[in-house]
Amino acid sequence: MGAVNFLVPPGVYAPQEDTALLAGALSDEALPLGAAVLDVGTGTGALALAAARRGARVTAVDVSWRAVCAARVNAARTGLPVRVRRGNLFAPVRGESFDLVLANPPYVPAPGGGRRPRGAARAWDAGHDGRLVLDRICREVPGLLRPGGVLLLVQSALSDPDRTVGLLRGAGLKAAVTRRQRIAFGPVVRGRERWLRQRGLLSVADNEEELVVVRAELPV
């Protein structure tokens, strides 16, 4: 993701293994010069900047004002043109269309019923099944893709990648898991490990979390 010394204010999701996994998938894409790219849930803007370095016209969106400010500062530091907007998921780009959509949404299952996360937890907590935002992306992203457009989305195996693939295929996209990586439990998963095991989302033998990238393409 380059050598940028990213500004990461308190409460903003720092680039981690999932960011790097998605950046690797981005590097595999044939991205034409001037392609329209959307990075939703941009955080520090790391993925938006990776796309901008390749000559894409990039829009970055985050619901957090701190993240929006961080992404703007990080873009200014690099001198790369990234349009950064604050808003809930796709709301700031209604009526627009894109050649590529990047998504690193919250995807960790969370105890506490239907309570919506607040503060920094909005970057990872995603409801009882981890799909609070994933299902919305699957429903709404087909309307934002141009013919031949691609969605690259990273999530945990804890939040049912098969459902993600199935919903995207049901919406008429060609979808599959294209990358997998096992990582040590981070502090969030470690803190709710017992609850995840009780729910059967982690087996007794599991001591790592699997991350996956789902790639979906709208046929021409």
Side-chain angles (χ1 to χ4, degrees):
M1 289 181 290
V4 177
N5 182 20
F6 286 105
L7 170 70
V8 186
V12 175
Y13 189 76
Q16 297 181 41
E17 290 96 336
D18 51 2
T19 317
L21 189 64
L22 195 53
L26 169 62
S27 69
D28 288 342
E29 291 295 320
L31 199 60
L33 188 66
V37 175
L38 173 65
D39 179 25
V40 62
T42 194
T44 61
L47 290 163
L49 292 172
R53 284 188 201 98
R54 295 179 56 189
R57 293 181 295 107
V58 183
T59 300
V61 172
D62 206 291
V63 73
S64 161
W65 271 118
R66 288 189 181 187
V68 166
C69 292
R72 286 174 176 167
V73 169
N74 289 326
R77 284 179 170 181
T78 65
L80 292 168
V82 175
R83 181 179 66 151
V84 186
R85 296 288 182 265
R86 191 257 176 182
N88 192 331
L89 206 60
F90 302 124
V93 293
R94 294 292 181 214
E96 300 182 44
S97 61
F98 299 90
D99 299 296
L100 176 66
V101 175
L102 301 165
N104 184 359
Y107 51 66
V108 181
R115 291 201 308 268
R116 288 191 172 271
R118 299 176 62 85
R122 289 181 299 182
W124 54 80
D125 280 357
H128 198 69
D129 59 0
R131 300 201 57 87
L132 184 66
V133 179
L134 286 166
D135 283 346
R136 285 185 59 196
I137 291 174
C138 292
R139 286 196 306 269
E140 297 179 28
V141 79
L144 281 87
L145 291 175
R146 297 172 178 175
V150 170
L151 165 70
L152 294 175
L153 176 149
V154 65
Q155 69 170 93
S156 172
L158 298 171
S159 46
D160 198 353
D162 288 343
R163 175 173 170 82
T164 299
V165 170
L167 289 173
L168 292 167
R169 287 177 177 173
L173 279 64
K174 296 183 288 186
V177 171
T178 56
R179 285 184 174 234
R180 298 179 182 270
Q181 180 181 345
R182 298 193 70 83
I183 64 170
F185 292 154
V188 175
V189 172
R190 198 161 53 242
R192 57 192 64 163
E193 183 178 343
R194 182 178 178 183
W195 177 78
L196 291 166
R197 293 192 194 281
Q198 288 173 342
R199 289 200 57 212
L201 295 174
L202 286 173
S203 73
V204 175
D206 284 334
N207 56 12
E208 291 180 314
E209 178 186 9
E210 184 178 45
L211 302 177
V212 306
V213 171
V214 175
R215 184 185 188 276
E217 182 175 346
L218 183 67
V220 177

